[in-house]
Amino acid sequence: MDLFKRYFPVFSLLAVVVGIQVVTHFTETTYYLTQLTMSAYYSVVVIGLCVLMGYGGQISLGHAGFFAIGGYLAGALTTHNLITLKGHRLVSLLDNVGLLVDSKGLYGGDLLTVEPWAACIIAVLTAGLIAFAIGGPILKLKGHYLAMATLGFGIIIYRIALASAYFGEADGISEVPGFKLLPGIEVSGSFVSRVLNYYIAWGMVIVAVILLLNLIHSRVGRALRSIHGAEEAANAMGVNTARYKLYIFVLSAVFAALAGVFVTHYNGGIGPSEAGVMKSVRYVAIVAVGGMANIWGALIMGIVLNFLSLRGVFGSYDDAVFGVILIIIMLFAPQGILNINPGQKVKSLLSFFVSKSGEETTE
Amino acid sequence: MTPELFIQYLFAGITYGIIYAIVAIGFNIIYNTTGIINFAQGEFVMLGGMIAITMHSVMPIPLAIVAAVVITMVVGALIEMVFIRWLESPSVLRMIIITIGISILAREVALHIWGESVRALPYFIGNEVTSVSILGAKISPQVLWVIGVCSLMVAGLSLFFKFTSLGREMRACAANRRAATLCGINTKNMVTLSFVLSAGIGAVAGCVMSPITYSDYSMGPNLAIKGFTVAILGGLGNSVAAVTAGLLLGIIEAFSISVLPLAFQDAIATSILLLILFVRPHGLFGSSEAASLKEF
């Protein structure tokens, strides 16, 4: 019964995903699938961050940094030509193991690049290792200090992406090849594989959701909630708070990096704006709107807001919309938009004004 | 490095350093009365500079600056009244997110009013090429304006907090809010005042630095992160140490240009921030015991 309750929404999600594809097929609006695919990848970052923020209580303003580490490494490794280094021992060793691919470039030149699978694993591992390395000292911090430290990490990654020639400076990386997951299944932005890519992205979301749902209902999840509630108390009860915080930090970083890898292959490129502070703030905003400790809320809001933003509904007010959303949610509904009880809200507002005017008359 | 070049770098460092110190003091004033780090602190500097530039088209510079500072102070007061005053014991996470939201909003409003172009106030005395010679180095008089005005402001603030009754009330509010309330101090008004004050000093800094560093809508976050680095470096809440720390950071940055590519300059402050947070979160000058006793 419990398991049924846990997985019922997953099956509903699956049904909705298939339903949307069928509807767009018959209404000939398949172009929506492109934005839905992108939204799905961004939502993987968001639900990872949701577990870190909502359940673990640790804010991170640097998740765009991890997304960028994944995307940039995958992009750079699969596009930079190693042909001139072919004589080098390390390169020929990699080639012999099958980690490199030979191909023809646009202008007929020989290209020798890293195989996307290898690049993906390297990118995600690197992001995980960086998260592991900085997570130790960063997660000792609390509140403002933690926010600023993670923000600082994000800025450093942004600066590195912007300043190094290897990552294309302000132009970013383009012409990233597709990522063949299995023979015949390729992550790429090509027109014909739009539907396939839609299912790849949503498959990733569903796997991520199932993983996280199981995680938060396990020992780890209980430990995280105890940390959120009262860290000292959790520590006194024998919960190894430092280890669990680090564990979830690395996990959410890996999610972000994986999404970054897939988005880069899907878009065929990545630019420094993906590493920007505004992106990190946006992920935090979505988690907040979804209700912090609510994976489904974060997922739904992640899809809705990213979809609207990618469709260009907000126009030049894109960032402003996310700023306003942040403020309004945090002022009026810190429990998230799905937990609003309108009647009670009006009552409390009324009582606020009544008590206010009462104060003034007595003074 | 020639002695002249050394002095040139030194003055550049001091100029930026004292501006970082002003931003850090803005952080400290609000932190001390509310326990909030105002992530929108850099936006006050941006608003001050941008409003003064707009005002300057219809009035002389001194008036434009006064108008800009007053308007920014009003904005600071409004921000406090609309977004913060009526919240009852909000969590730190909530306040962080609200002030980040305010910072984004301020930046977007500025973008839609002023556009993306970079502007600057004219030099207060002379123009870009006017210079005074100090120990063989050529220094723009505007640099002296920045250093002079900011130093006066720091001195004025410490006198204000020490000797005026309003300043004392604010300090009381910082030391123990409940006790201050019991003594008849209206702590809510003190919080508003702290926002007004830190908006005001931010705006002044924004005006005097504008001719040298230029102003644009997106300058806020960068200044805020550096101001925060300085505030942490000196020990959060300690304004005297913030000046020392500000000068230190400014000078380190200025001299780093001679070794590192310019693009990495901003990464230096951030790396220092991370390092100091990891190693000595209570600051270079603060002791960990003193960190638990909040005083100016």
Side-chain angles (χ1 to χ4, degrees), chain A residues 39-82:
Chain A
S39 308
Y41 286 132
Y42 285 126
S43 301
V44 172
V45 187
V46 171
I47 55 176
L49 186 63
C50 168
V51 174
L52 178 69
M53 270 177 65
Y55 292 89
Q58 312 297 312
I59 192 173
S60 168
L61 289 168
H63 261 56
F66 291 117
F67 182 92
I69 291 174
Y72 262 106
L73 276 180
L77 287 174
T78 52
T79 48
H80 280 283
N81 197 351
L82 300 173

Side-chain angles (χ1 to χ4, degrees), chain B residues 35-47:
Chain B
I36 297 170
I37 289 294
N38 173 25
F39 279 69
Q41 192 65 38
E43 262 55 52
F44 290 144
V45 181
M46 180 270 291
L47 281 180

Side-chain angles (χ1 to χ4, degrees), chain A residues 151-194:
Chain A
L151 183 68
F153 165 74
I155 290 178
I156 290 177
I157 298 294
Y158 176 68
R159 288 284 155 197
I160 291 173
L162 205 57
S164 38
Y166 184 68
F167 295 123
E169 293 175 346
D171 297 330
I173 298 173
S174 55
E175 290 173 28
V176 178
F179 178 6
K180 277 200 183 61
L181 290 170
L182 291 168
I185 301 182
E186 189 182 41
V187 178
S188 73
S190 85
F191 191 71
V192 284
S193 58
R194 189 185 257 162

Side-chain angles (χ1 to χ4, degrees), chain B residues 129-289:
Chain B
V129 291
T130 322
S131 66
V132 287
S133 181
I134 296 174
L135 299 172
K138 298 262 185 280
I139 307 293
S140 161
Q142 190 65 33
V143 166
L144 302 180
W145 269 105
V146 173
I147 297 174
V149 169
C150 291
S151 313
L152 271 181
M153 222 152 44
V154 173
L157 276 176
S158 54
L159 288 179
F160 169 76
F161 282 122
K162 258 209 173 93
F163 295 114
T164 66
S165 79
L166 201 57
R168 284 181 178 151
E169 283 176 19
M170 282 181 81
R171 254 179 15 183
C173 180
N176 187 331
R177 204 156 160 188
R178 182 169 294 169
T181 316
L182 288 174
C183 291
I185 297 170
N186 188 335
T187 46
K188 290 206 161 175
N189 286 353
M190 290 303 133
V191 173
T192 314
L193 187 64
S194 72
F195 269 80
V196 171
L197 211 58
S198 84
I201 63 169
V204 173
C207 293
V208 290
M209 70 190 271
S210 176
I212 314 178
T213 63
Y214 304 117
S215 310
D216 73 302
Y217 83 98
S218 65
M219 68 193 286
N222 210 359
L223 273 174
I225 194 113
K226 285 181 185 169
F228 186 78
T229 308
V230 168
I232 296 287
L233 211 55
L236 204 53
N238 185 343
S239 289
V240 181
V243 177
T244 323
L247 294 178
L248 193 66
L249 179 65
I251 291 170
I252 290 175
E253 267 194 6
F255 281 98
S256 75
I257 299 178
S258 56
V259 209
L260 275 176
L262 190 61
F264 286 108
Q265 197 192 4
D266 288 334
I268 289 174
T270 329
S271 309
I272 292 177
L273 170 66
L274 286 183
L275 199 70
I276 204 82
L277 282 176
F278 292 167
V279 187
R280 280 183 75 88
H282 46 273
L284 278 187
F285 310 112
S287 71
S288 46
E289 290 140 76

Side-chain angles (χ1 to χ4, degrees), chain A residues 52-226:
Chain A
L52 178 69
M53 270 177 65
Y55 292 89
Q58 312 297 312
I59 192 173
S60 168
L61 289 168
H63 261 56
F66 291 117
F67 182 92
I69 291 174
Y72 262 106
L73 276 180
L77 287 174
T78 52
T79 48
H80 280 283
N81 197 351
L82 300 173
I83 202 93
T84 49
L85 297 171
K86 203 163 186 181
H88 197 279
R89 268 177 55 202
L90 187 67
V91 174
S92 52
L93 177 75
L94 288 174
D95 203 7
N96 290 337
V97 187
L99 292 179
L100 302 180
V101 279
D102 284 293
S103 58
K104 287 278 177 219
L106 265 181
Y107 307 107
D110 279 324
L111 280 178
L112 184 65
T113 52
V114 179
E115 155 72 30
W117 261 112
C120 172
I121 291 168
I122 294 171
V124 173
L125 271 184
T126 310
L129 282 177
I130 290 176
F132 185 76
I134 65 163
I138 267 192
L139 293 169
K140 277 189 202 144
L141 305 168
K142 291 192 182 66
H144 300 116
Y145 294 85
L146 179 63
M148 275 291 184
T150 50
L151 183 68
F153 165 74
I155 290 178
I156 290 177
I157 298 294
Y158 176 68
R159 288 284 155 197
I160 291 173
L162 205 57
S164 38
Y166 184 68
F167 295 123
E169 293 175 346
D171 297 330
I173 298 173
S174 55
E175 290 173 28
V176 178
F179 178 6
K180 277 200 183 61
L181 290 170
L182 291 168
I185 301 182
E186 189 182 41
V187 178
S188 73
S190 85
F191 191 71
V192 284
S193 58
R194 189 185 257 162
V195 175
L196 176 67
N197 269 286
Y198 172 76
Y199 281 112
I200 294 175
W202 281 98
M204 188 166 154
V205 170
I206 288 171
V207 170
V209 165
I210 292 174
L211 202 87
L212 291 178
L213 282 178
N214 279 315
L215 186 79
I216 57 178
H217 289 101
S218 71
R219 188 190 175 87
V220 180
R222 287 191 294 276
L224 286 175
R225 266 169 288 174
S226 74

